[in-house]
Amino acid sequence: PCPSARRAYGGAPSNRGMLMLLPITLTLAAACALINFWLAVRCARIRVGAKLLHGDSGNMLLARRMRAHANFIEYTPIVLILFGLIEMAIGAPLWLWIGAMIYALARIAHGFGMDADKPTVWRAGGALLTWIVMLGLAVAALYIAYGATRAVPAPPAMARV
């Protein structure tokens, strides 16, 4: 971390003894960046091989891969925001780690499943798990926001600062 971050935590110039903020969200965001890159490369390989600059030019595999990439981009921002806000509010429970792992694996499965020209268990399973994680996070966020006491203590992530 940068020196100002060290000062904010009251830590010494080393990383020892420092608390990490939002480890689940940070890990999931890194995984999502890698998945996003993988999905982009899968499209780019077809584009280069077929010498396609724009669109899909009727290449159905490219169209499906482009759609898998777009679908990832449609769901991932809100899911990352929900993970970050929940983690900031309650810390890093095991169920949130499991949800992050399921989301990442679901998006990989969906990417592979979109290659087929017919429905597959990978595509359906990836989509279903994505929806389950997203809806579960939404319910958890609402529960945390409205099920908590009206006293407003500092969130775990902010209490460390």
Side-chain angles (χ1 to χ4, degrees):
C2 66
S4 61
R6 285 188 206 107
R7 280 192 298 277
Y9 291 106
S14 75
N15 288 340
R16 285 181 284 134
M18 288 182 52
L19 297 174
M20 181 191 305
L21 289 179
L22 307 177
I24 298 171
T25 305
L26 182 61
T27 303
L28 181 59
C32 287
L34 294 172
I35 294 167
N36 188 45
F37 179 73
W38 169 70
L39 291 167
V41 166
R42 287 166 43 94
C43 293
R45 289 180 61 200
I46 295 173
R47 285 187 182 287
V48 169
K51 297 182 178 22
L52 299 173
L53 186 58
H54 299 291
D56 59 40
S57 293
N59 183 316
M60 293 311 293
L61 180 57
L62 178 56
R64 288 191 299 272
R65 287 189 177 180
M66 288 170 60
R67 189 62 217 133
H69 192 202
N71 188 270
F72 178 79
I73 296 303
E74 292 164 1
Y75 283 99
T76 299
I78 191 65
V79 169
L80 282 173
I81 289 167
L82 284 166
F83 269 105
L85 292 174
I86 290 170
E87 187 175 8
M88 191 178 294
I90 66 168
L94 179 61
W95 67 264
L96 205 56
W97 279 108
I98 293 168
M101 181 182 66
I102 290 170
Y103 182 76
L105 293 174
R107 298 319 303 169
I108 292 168
H110 184 266
F112 280 124
M114 287 291 287
D115 275 1
D117 58 358
K118 59 182 183 194
T120 67
V121 68
W122 297 107
R123 179 180 178 184
L128 183 62
L129 288 172
T130 295
W131 294 341
I132 289 170
V133 169
M134 184 177 63
L135 292 173
L137 291 170
V139 168
L142 289 170
Y143 177 77
I144 292 164
Y146 294 102
T149 176
R150 291 293 101 194
V152 184
M158 301 308 279
R160 296 179 192 156
V161 175

